């Protein structure tokens, strides 16, 4: 699977999230203390944009209806039967890369 640049490290400050597009797919990129994580951007509840949600420690809260997800595992904290797809992330120099 190819690695694709999705952002520069300066674009996502620690404790924040961002919506990015890679290979035609909307993803959410998170920076937790300088370590980056990536999930699908679409909330499993009603399709809200997780990259626009509030990041608190390892959890992102969907801005539409408040569903919470662990950004490291993709596990839904609101409904444990649901889980987001997560993507491997690596930093190369100043580029944030995701494996698609």
């Amino acid at each position: 699977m190819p690695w694709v640049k999705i952002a520069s490290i300066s674009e996502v400050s620690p404790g924040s999230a961002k919506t990015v597009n890679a290979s035609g797919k909307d993803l959410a990129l998170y920076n937790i203390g300088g370590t980056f994580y990536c999930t699908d951007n679409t909330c499993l509840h009603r399709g809200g944009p997780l990259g626009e949600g509030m990041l608190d420690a390892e959890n992102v809260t969907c801005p539409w209806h408040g569903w919470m997800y662990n950004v490291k595992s993709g596990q839904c904290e609101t409904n444990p039967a649901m889980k987001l797809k997560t993507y491997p992330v690596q930093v190369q120099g100043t580029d944030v890369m995701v494996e698609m």
Side-chain angles (χ1 to χ4, degrees):
M1 298 188 146
W3 288 89
V4 178
K5 178 184 176 183
I6 57 171
S8 295
I9 57 173
S10 62
E11 293 178 52
V12 188
S13 59
S16 68
K18 176 182 174 117
T19 298
V20 296
N21 187 285
S23 302
K25 186 165 186 64
D26 285 332
L27 304 173
L29 179 64
Y30 315 93
N31 181 340
I32 300 176
T35 302
F36 292 87
Y37 299 91
C38 186
T39 67
D40 279 337
N41 188 51
T42 306
C43 177
L44 300 173
H45 175 237
R46 298 274 179 149
L50 296 174
E52 296 176 19
M54 184 167 53
L55 190 61
D56 182 26
E58 297 179 2
N59 292 315
V60 64
T61 301
C62 178
W64 286 7
H65 300 107
W67 277 39
M68 291 177 49
Y69 298 87
N70 181 288
V71 302
K72 291 182 177 182
S73 67
Q75 186 64 51
C76 180
E77 304 293 326
T78 310
N79 181 348
M82 302 181 103
K83 189 174 182 179
L84 289 171
K85 181 173 173 130
T86 61
Y87 298 86
V89 178
Q90 66 181 12
V91 175
Q92 295 179 355
T94 60
D95 295 337
V96 182
M97 311 287 288
V98 68
E99 187 176 25
M100 296 296 299

